[in-house]
Structure formats: C-alpha cells, structure tokens
DNA sequence: CCAAAAGTGTTTGAAGTACACCCATGC
DNA sequence: GCATGGGTGTACTTCAAACACTTTTGG
C-alpha cells in the first residue's frame, strides 16, 4: 500500500494475483473415533484428477467470505457451519499456472477453517461422485499445497477445542456427556483427562443444559441429553476458559 | 483453485488483485507504561499525508514474508524481530484505487504482526521524518482499514503474552523480574497478578537464568538480572503454559 | 535512619488427579 | 444376574490469591 497505483517505470514490477479461497472442512465421527476432512476431486487442470480442498477463485465484487460461502452453498450444499479464516499462503511457484506464458500472474490462497455436524456431514458426500470425507490420518496426496493447509487447520482444531466451545458446532444439538468426551478424546488423544473429572468440570461451568431427555443406546444405563446453552456461555467468552 | 486458468466465456469474471503486506510493529516502553505502534506518513496517493502502517505491494517473484522483510530492512531499518502473519483483509472497496477506471483491480492486504525491543525501537524513528511511534491508546485516524488491523494485532499481542514467551522478544537480552512484570502490567493491565506471585511462578518454570549480575537503579535494593533460556524453554513449547 | 525497591515466606481456599464405588438398562 | 455404559463421591495434592515480612541499596 506504499507504492503508487500507476507505477513509475523505475520501480520494480508488481505481481498480479488471482486469489483463491480454500476451506478445510472438518467433521468428527465420534463413533468411529475419526476426524474427517472434506475433499473434492479436481476436474480441471492443473492437477486434474487429484484430490483437493474445496475452493474457488474470487470473483469481481466478491469478498473473501462471500467466495467461501459460495462454494459451500452452491457446490457442496452445506449450510450452518462454523467458519473462520485460517492462513494465507502466497509464495511464488505454489501454483503451476504461474508460468511466464500467463504474464506472471501469481496465485494466492486464503484458507478458511470450517466445522460441520457429523449428521449433516454424512449426506453431503452421499451419492455424489468426486466428493468425499477422508480421515485426517489418511489424507492422500493433494493438489497444490493443500496438504500443508490441512495440517495447519488440524493444529487449529486441536487448539480451539481447548479454549473455545467449538465442540458444540460439531456435535448435534442434543448430545450426551460421553458424546462430548468421545469428541475430545478423538481429537486430542486419550490422556487429556479422566471421564469423571471431565464431567464434573464441564457441568460446573454451567453452560450445559440438561434437557431431561434420556438416550438409550443398547446396553447400559441411559444417558442424560444436554444442550449447549449459548446465553449461559456468553459471560465466559474471552475468558481463559480451559476445557482440558 | 477450482476454475480454469483460461476462463470459459460463460463463467463470471475473476477479480484481479494487487497484494499488499502491512505490518503492525509493536514495542513496549515499560518505563512509561505504554505500548507503541510504528506508523508511517504516506507520501503518495491515496491517503497522501495520512498516517498508515508500514507496508508495500508485493513484487514479482517475491513471497509475502519477503515483502514484509523488504519494508522492515530497507525502509525502516529494523532487524531481528519477531514476525508472524496476522490476518488477511480482502473485501472489495477497501482501497479507493479500486475504481472502474483501474480495470476493476482489487487490493488485498495480508497483515503481519511484529515485535521490536524498545532499545532498538528508539533509534528507528529518531531524526527521520514521516515515521513515528504512537501509543496504541492514541492512534490517529489512519489510511485504509489500518485502524482495524491494529486493533486485531493488539488483541493478538495480549493473547500471546499469556501463553507464549513473546515477552522476551520485546525485553532486552538481560532484564530484571520487575522489568518483566512491568511489561505484563503495561499490556494486560494492573489486575492480573501480584508481583510476588508472578515472580515465584515464573522462576519455578525454570527458563529464566540468573546471570549473577545486578542492576542498580537509583534507590532500593539492586535487582538480579535474568536471561531467557531458550533451551530450557523448548520442552514447554506447545504446552498450555500460562503466565497469567 | 528512612524511604524505596527487591526478594522471601505463610496462610488459606479453590481446583485438578486418581481413583473407588453406586445406578440403570439390555440380554 | 451380569455385563455394559452412565453417574457420584472422596482423599490427596497442587496451585493460585492475598498479604506480611525481611533484605539491600541511596540519600
């Protein structure tokens, strides 16, 4: 922002960019203990036939968030998800289209981080070809630097779980405390806390409302169903709230 | 990244971008209890004559970090600072140069967050006109959306202080425990902890090495000088380390 | 000797850790 | 009744908050 719009001829040439918005969409299958990422099979060059993150190039008059939402709604048909900006990858040579033939155009990617409820997740990829959920532990080789973006996003997911209520964007509206615990162990690993202590701490925080309903799942005592109470949580926002 | 390089005519037009890198550089004057931001007076349009963040437009073949460093080294002559990416602001109409006349070119800003030691900070702005340190509490009206970027950066600074050792990127190599405490109160406010408790906690963490030297500053008992021991800190990296 | 700044110690209560144990259901 | 998963309680330890007190300097 410190150079002139019309550049004097003695100034080095500015780079021209196309900007893509690529989103790492996570979902968690607590039953099978897996964190999932939504991938899309590319149909066009470059990297045609390879898996990649869902994304698009930003159009005229469109904001970054708009572009992200456009892909989510039009292409993947996802609504109501948690979305936040992740990181911007902008080095040269990250896109093979950056050849001299294309007049030196650079491709920059603003990545986003998103979470979907697993219930909704299931029928997103269903039947449609060229779109699939992959476990984070088994991501195939991806187009561009999308592998790196996923790693970065996964790191963010683990961090966020510890100090923010993102868990409730992944869980269904109504859930049991073991669902919640399962989610945490799936993402964070086994050794973060004892179930009993996790339970007491979370309930003491006071933003889990008991619905009075019970969930009976095969054998064992039926579990109480809880709902996340956003209002009760509000005062705790910005506090150094620790779930771990 | 999901559209073709050569767009079919039935596709909506992609936006063309220039990308700027703008850096919020913080320093902390613990003596005067002030957090400072480095600002630059713009000489060119748009916003000529207004204060702004140091930044530049990315050139051909240059990475984002490269561009950030170029400004820091060439224009501001700062070396050895902590630097990390902050956020990317890319909505349309954030730059007045985005007129129809300029063929719809958009301006996107990737912002960075940086910290300088106050010792070095002082002589950066010294004598040179059009460059100055402003207390965060008294930032004037800025060019573009730079005011918003600073707010975002200041938030980051406060967060980072609580869980990462950025303090030692701001303090001199060798410092007293009250220097450290001063830094924290300056940024976080008075009520975060008692000096005596702060002291015990920090020393117990074990990454502050006593140099054996003493600092005598006027009246009062001389203070021990400490040095940040990066090796001793390494194992604590990524841990939910809390300074607060 | 007194003020100023650095550094130590003690008391108290809250919170986390690691368990052992009781409860309700399906088969 | 017994295996299975849900839920409660307790003893132990660690840690943070508050504050009183000692030490070393300059004047």
């Amino acid at each position: 922002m410190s150079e002139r719009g019309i550049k004097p001829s003695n100034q080095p040439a500015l780079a021209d960019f196309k900007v893509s918005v690529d989103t790492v969409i996570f979902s968690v299958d607590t039953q099978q203990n897996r964190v999932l990422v939504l991938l899309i099979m590319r149909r066009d060059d470059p990297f045609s036939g390879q898996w990649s993150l869902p994304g698009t190039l930003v159009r005229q008059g469109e904001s970054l968030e708009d572009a992200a939402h456009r892909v989510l709604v039009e292409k993947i048909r996802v609504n109501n998800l948690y979305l936040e900006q992740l990181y911007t990858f902008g080095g040269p040579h990250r896109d093979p289209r950056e050849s001299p033939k294309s007049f030196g155009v650079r491709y920059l990617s603003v990545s986003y981080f998103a979470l979907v409820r697993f219930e909704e997740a299931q029928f997103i990829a269903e039947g449609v070809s060229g779109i699939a959920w992959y476990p984070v532990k088994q991501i195939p080789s991806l187009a561009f630097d999308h592998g790196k973006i996923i790693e970065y996003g996964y790191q963010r997911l683990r961090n966020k779980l510890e100090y923010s209520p993102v868990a409730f964007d992944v869980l269904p509206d109504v859930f049991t405390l073991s669902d919640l615990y399962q989610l945490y162990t799936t993402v964070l690993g086994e050794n973060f806390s004892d179930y009993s202590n996790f339970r007491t701490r979370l309930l003491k925080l006071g933003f889990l409302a008991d619905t009075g309903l019970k969930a009976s799942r095969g054998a064992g005592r039926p579990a109480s169903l809880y709902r996340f109470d956003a209002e009760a949580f509000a005062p705790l926002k910005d506090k150094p709230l620790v779930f771990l």
Side-chain angles (χ1 to χ4, degrees), chain A:
Chain A
M1 290 305 172
S2 306
E3 316 282 341
R4 316 206 67 167
I6 301 95
K7 82 174 157 55
S9 49
N10 59 346
Q11 292 274 342
L14 299 180
D16 282 303
F17 287 89
K18 302 287 185 196
V19 173
S20 79
V21 165
D22 300 296
T23 308
V24 191
I25 309 178
F26 287 109
S27 194
V28 182
D29 179 354
T30 47
Q31 317 301 312
Q32 294 196 63
N33 265 49
R34 296 192 304 181
V35 177
L36 304 167
V37 181
L38 192 65
L39 296 183
I40 299 241
M41 174 64 78
R42 287 184 61 81
R43 295 180 176 182
D44 303 310
D45 275 326
F47 295 108
S48 185
Q50 277 202 253
W51 290 101
S52 70
L53 291 177
T56 188
L57 289 164
V58 177
R59 297 178 182 167
Q60 288 182 13
E62 191 178 49
S63 77
L64 302 174
E65 278 83 6
D66 286 349
H69 278 116
R70 177 162 52 79
V71 178
L72 297 169
V73 173
E74 281 182 18
K75 284 208 195 156
I76 319 183
R77 258 162 283 164
V78 184
N79 261 314
N80 296 337
L81 47 57
Y82 177 84
L83 184 71
E84 76 173 34
Q85 191 180 302
L86 191 57
Y87 199 81
T88 298
F89 297 86
H93 318 306
R94 54 173 300 281
D95 190 308
R97 287 170 292 193
E98 289 178 15
S99 66
K101 289 169 197 159
S102 59
F103 302 98
V105 175
R106 291 263 293 275
Y107 286 82
L108 177 142
S109 164
V110 180
S111 58
Y112 277 78
F113 167 90
L115 299 172
V116 212
R117 305 201 137 82
F118 183 64
E119 319 164 274
E120 300 171 35
Q122 287 177 296
F123 82 111
I124 287 170
E126 213 147 82
V128 192
S129 79
I131 170 167
W133 288 99
Y134 273 87
V136 235
K137 307 284 182 192
Q138 300 157 40
I139 299 290
S141 165
L142 298 183
F144 309 105
D145 47 7
H146 288 185
K148 205 165 67 179
I149 299 181
I150 290 183
E151 268 185 51
Y152 200 90
Y154 189 40
Q155 181 70 45
R156 181 88 127 233
L157 174 61
R158 274 178 273 136
N159 289 337
K160 286 233 129 188
L161 263 195
E162 294 186 7
Y163 62 84
S164 88
V166 284
F168 312 106
D169 289 300
V170 178
L171 255 26
D173 253 44
V174 152
F175 51 87
T176 72
L177 279 170
S178 2
D179 288 340
L180 186 59
Y181 184 66
Q182 276 288 61
L183 170 62
Y184 273 84
T185 51
T186 302
V187 182
L188 263 33
E190 292 282 336
N191 331 359
F192 73 97
S193 176
D194 175 303
Y195 170 69
S196 139
N197 295 325
F198 177 79
R199 197 190 153 69
T200 347
R201 192 157 4 89
L202 265 285
L203 287 176
K204 196 163 42 186
L205 289 172
F207 52 73
L208 295 183
D210 193 331
T211 61
L213 303 170
K214 301 283 174 189
S216 212
R217 291 167 182 162
R221 177 174 176 175
S224 297
L225 287 167
Y226 291 86
R227 172 175 283 117
F228 175 65
D229 183 346
E231 288 197 21
F233 177 76
L236 302 176
K237 221 167 185 166
D238 315 315
K239 301 275 162 175
L241 170 56
V242 179
F243 292 72
L244 177 141

